[in-house]
């Protein structure tokens, strides 16, 4: 029993109900009832981590998410994140975060990871970092692909949040476990291809009005293409690095 984590989920579900969010979930039976696994999730919105734990509750399990250290440094969210045993990611000391995740996986935990590392502005699946594959291989646990669609309509990068009653439909699909039997690079490529196919399938049953900011260019929306989004990300990273070099922080 984890009363605090359970109570936080209860509060979240009350908020989701108040927002009128309409969840459709398929494949939750692929999440193992016991034992460690990496839950690999695509990333289109700031609220993804609050939604991605829902399928695991069908097997009465909790997901420990890897989240940036700044969330843990906050005096309000930090104690909550630590109590729920999420894992801080400090980019200046990534080895510690990685080791904590592998240890948790070996201890039978579900570890939630966003292989894209940052939100995809194009809402397509970006290039993956290899961490999810490497930790699955080292811990000897499967990777469970999970795709979310619609969360970018609630709150995403570069657009105002919509946390009122929007009645937004949010679709999620959980894929079959992928065994960690390939080298990390090949396993990561396999995961990427699997999640891309899953996302496209999920999008087939979703209404995409032409020209909307949250609709990918591939589907007639005004979101940037993957190539354009990559360029925007690179320019933003360069600007942040310049500010740090000038002593202006992030």
């Amino acid at each position: 029993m984890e009363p605090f984590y359970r109570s936080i989920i209860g509060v979240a579900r009350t908020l989701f109900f108040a927002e009128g969010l309409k969840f459709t979930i398929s494949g939750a039976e692929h999440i193992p009832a016991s034992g460690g696994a990496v839950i690999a999730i695509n990333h289109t919105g700031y609220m993804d981590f609050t939604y991605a734990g829902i399928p695991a509750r069908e097997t009465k399990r909790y997901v420990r998410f890897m989240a940036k250290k700044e969330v843990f440094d906050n005096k309000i969210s930090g104690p909550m994140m630590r109590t729920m045993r999420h894992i801080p990611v400090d980019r200046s000391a990534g080895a510690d975060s990685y080791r904590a995740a592998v240890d948790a996986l070996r201890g039978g935990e579900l570890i939630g990871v966003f292989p894209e590392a940052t939100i995809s502005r194009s809402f397509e699946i970006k290039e993956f970092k290899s961490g999810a594959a490497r930790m699955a291989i080292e811990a000897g646990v499967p990777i469970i692909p999970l795709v979310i669609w619609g969360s970018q309509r609630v709150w995403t990068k570069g657009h105002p949040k919509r946390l009122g009653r929007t009645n937004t439909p949010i679709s999620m699909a959980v894929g079959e476990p992928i065994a960690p039997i390939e080298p990390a690079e090949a396993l990561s490529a396999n995961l990427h291809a699997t999640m891309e196919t899953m996302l496209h399938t999920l999008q087939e049953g979703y209404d995409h009005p032409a020209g909307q900011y949250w609709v990918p260019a591939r589907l007639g929306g005004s979101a940037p293409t993957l190539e354009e989004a990559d360029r925007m990300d690179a320019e933003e990273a360069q600007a942040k690095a310049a500010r740090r070099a000038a002593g202006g922080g992030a």
Side-chain angles (χ1 to χ4, degrees), residues 122 124 203 208-224:
S122 68
E124 304 284 7
Q203 290 169 336
H208 297 98
Q212 290 292 310
Y213 75 88
W214 57 268
V215 177
R218 173 177 52 84
L219 297 176
S222 59

Side-chain angles (χ1 to χ4, degrees), residues 113-135:
V113 179
F114 295 96
E116 296 163 286
T118 58
I119 288 175
S120 172
R121 299 174 192 259
S122 68
F123 312 124
E124 304 284 7
I125 295 184
K126 297 169 54 176
E127 182 179 350
F128 280 0
K129 305 294 185 183
S130 64
R134 289 188 292 110
M135 51 176 83

Side-chain angles (χ1 to χ4, degrees), residues 199-217:
L199 181 61
H200 292 179
T201 300
L202 201 59
Q203 290 169 336
E204 290 174 3
Y206 203 100
D207 183 34
H208 297 98
Q212 290 292 310
Y213 75 88
W214 57 268
V215 177

Side-chain angles (χ1 to χ4, degrees), residues 55-74:
R57 293 305 298 145
E58 295 196 19
T59 52
K60 296 181 170 55
R61 301 204 63 187
Y62 297 92
V63 180
R64 317 298 174 183
F65 289 95
M66 299 188 75
K68 60 184 180 180
K69 178 179 175 291
E70 289 79 1
V71 178
F72 291 80
D73 291 339
N74 183 278

Side-chain angles (χ1 to χ4, degrees), residues 93-169:
D96 292 341
S97 304
Y98 176 86
R99 178 52 50 197
V102 170
D103 289 345
L105 289 166
R106 287 175 171 163
E109 299 283 7
L110 299 177
I111 301 298
V113 179
F114 295 96
E116 296 163 286
T118 58
I119 288 175
S120 172
R121 299 174 192 259
S122 68
F123 312 124
E124 304 284 7
I125 295 184
K126 297 169 54 176
E127 182 179 350
F128 280 0
K129 305 294 185 183
S130 64
R134 289 188 292 110
M135 51 176 83
I137 292 169
E138 186 167 344
V141 300
I143 301 179
I144 312 292
L146 191 160
V147 294
I148 305 176
W149 189 244
S151 71
Q152 75 273 24
R153 300 176 64 179
V154 178
W155 188 13
T156 193
K157 198 167 192 174
H159 297 279
K161 61 175 74 82
R162 299 172 67 244
L163 299 176
R165 190 168 184 83
T166 61
N167 300 318
T168 302

